[in-house]
Amino acid sequence: MRTRFLIFLTIVLLAEFYSFILIRSIAKPMANPWKAIIYTSYIAVTLFTWTSFILMRSLNWDAMPPMAKNLIIAFTMGLWVAKILAATVMMLDDVRRICMWVINYIYNPTTPDVTDEIAKSNGISRSTFFKRTALILGGTAVGAFLYGITNRYNYKVHRVKLKFANLPASFKGLKIVQISDIHSGSFDNEHAVSRGVEKVMHEEPDIIFFTGDLVNNKAEEIQPYTHLFSQLTAPLGVYSTLGNHDYGDYVTWPSDDAKRQNLEQLKETHDKMGWRLLMNEHVEIEKGNDKIAVIGIENWGAKAGFPKYGSMSNAYAGLKEKDIPFKVLLSHDPSHWDAEVIKDYQDIDLTLSGHTHGMQFGIEIPGLKWSPVKYIYKNWAGLYQKGAQHLYVNRGFGFLGYPGRLGILPEITVIELA
């Protein structure tokens, strides 16, 4: 923990140092009052971002107008990313300078380094190029994070067709809709959420699966939206499981009993909405003369200290003795697939997860899928396969922390089995 804090502190201080250097280079050739305006604006913005960062947890966000809250968070996050990007570019310029100085000192110790002057005679100097690049990247980052808040309800349907040799004939063509990570405590637009629910029902699913994180922390967060999510229905039912945020582990409770009551209320809410919550158990789904099994476990994470409430042994109890050829697992955290499922439960054909949100930030264009979360989670969005086993990681229906989506849109997954 101490090492992580020191790394974080080093990055923050370097970002601030290089940001000041960049601003100073912009202001230096200017005359007053513009020089004073630039420095004053820089100090004001820096104080704002530091204050927002320090008070992030203690501010009463619920009392703040939603748009003001979203703009503050997006601007603060965007500015920090901007400073880190700018610092990275400026550091590259410093590394370049040091390398050139060393090379020049070794081979031409009596000749000054004039590489920047030579470059300038043909246009701008390399240092000026790096500074302008840093400024453009920084400005783009702030603008992009502000733009991202307009996409937080821009639901995208991802369609996948999967073929399984052992799928019973009656289930050929089964249409599954998966949603995950609703995070109702972050919602601020009921009408926008209702459009997402309508999109799900427009797909006319045979069965619906929800893979955890109904709330951010408290069961009360979902109450204003239960009438919407109760509209999710399917001929073969709606099945759900819990995610790491559903247990209330990230807030302080007046007592252990209050925390337990919160979880019980959340379980009851699943039931009231018509969702069959699977708590380390399995159910058999019948269609025609055939059956498949749906297994649902509580949160089980192998990364970043996330809790392991799930128990595959309990969920699997009695299942091996049954003649059920096809099995679907609902497990919130995709790290569970690598850590346990493909090692010890190779008869599970399809695992459905969420959790990562695709970090709500990244690039998804034909031929390129990238997000910083890939450096933490090997399986972070979309379809993965090992042997005959498949994993699908939903990018999340809602949002958490950053009130937006930049490059990674909220997802409704439609899976057709063949």
Side-chain angles (χ1 to χ4, degrees), residues 126-144:
R126 289 187 179 89
S127 293
T128 300
F129 169 77
F130 275 97
K131 287 174 184 175
R132 290 183 181 178
T133 301
L135 195 63
I136 291 169
L137 281 175
T140 301
V142 174

Side-chain angles (χ1 to χ4, degrees), residues 81 140-149 151-152 358-364 370-371 402-410:
V81 171
T140 301
V142 174
F145 271 83
L146 289 172
Y147 166 74
I149 65 177
N151 281 325
R152 63 192 189 276
M359 207 173 179
Q360 298 170 212
F361 167 76
I363 302 170
E364 283 200 275
W370 176 88
S371 169
Y402 170 52
R405 292 276 185 160
L406 186 55
I408 307 290
L409 298 178

Side-chain angles (χ1 to χ4, degrees), residues 59-216:
L59 287 174
N60 185 7
W61 294 107
D62 292 336
M64 195 176 295
M67 184 52 69
K69 174 181 70 175
N70 293 336
L71 288 172
I72 289 171
I73 295 174
F75 181 75
T76 301
M77 294 181 71
L79 200 60
W80 277 110
V81 171
K83 288 182 176 183
I84 291 170
L85 287 174
T88 301
V89 174
M90 297 285 282
M91 284 177 67
L92 287 173
D93 184 36
D94 278 351
V95 170
R96 177 193 66 83
R97 289 188 192 205
I98 292 170
C99 291
M100 293 303 298
W101 181 87
V102 170
I103 293 170
N104 193 64
Y105 181 80
I106 293 172
Y107 294 102
N108 299 290
T110 60
T111 305
D113 181 10
V114 293
T115 52
D116 265 1
E117 284 69 19
I118 293 171
K120 190 174 181 179
S121 67
N122 297 315
I124 63 171
S125 71
R126 289 187 179 89
S127 293
T128 300
F129 169 77
F130 275 97
K131 287 174 184 175
R132 290 183 181 178
T133 301
L135 195 63
I136 291 169
L137 281 175
T140 301
V142 174
F145 271 83
L146 289 172
Y147 166 74
I149 65 177
T150 66
N151 281 325
R152 63 192 189 276
Y153 299 111
N154 187 12
Y155 303 103
K156 182 177 181 180
V157 177
H158 288 256
R159 302 182 188 277
V160 180
K161 189 169 185 177
L162 297 176
K163 189 172 183 178
F164 296 93
N166 59 323
L167 183 70
S170 299
F171 287 90
K172 299 286 184 180
L174 182 77
K175 183 184 282 190
I176 297 169
V177 167
Q178 179 200 5
I179 58 172
S180 190
D181 299 86
I182 285 174
H183 287 288
S184 53
S186 299
F187 289 155
D188 57 10
N189 188 330
E190 182 179 327
H191 179 65
V193 176
S194 71
R195 291 201 305 268
V197 173
E198 289 170 6
K199 270 198 168 187
V200 172
M201 294 310 299
H202 180 73
E203 295 298 326
E204 298 182 349
D206 296 311
I207 193 167
I208 298 174
F209 294 132
F210 171 70
T211 46
D213 278 0
L214 185 61
V215 297
N216 293 350

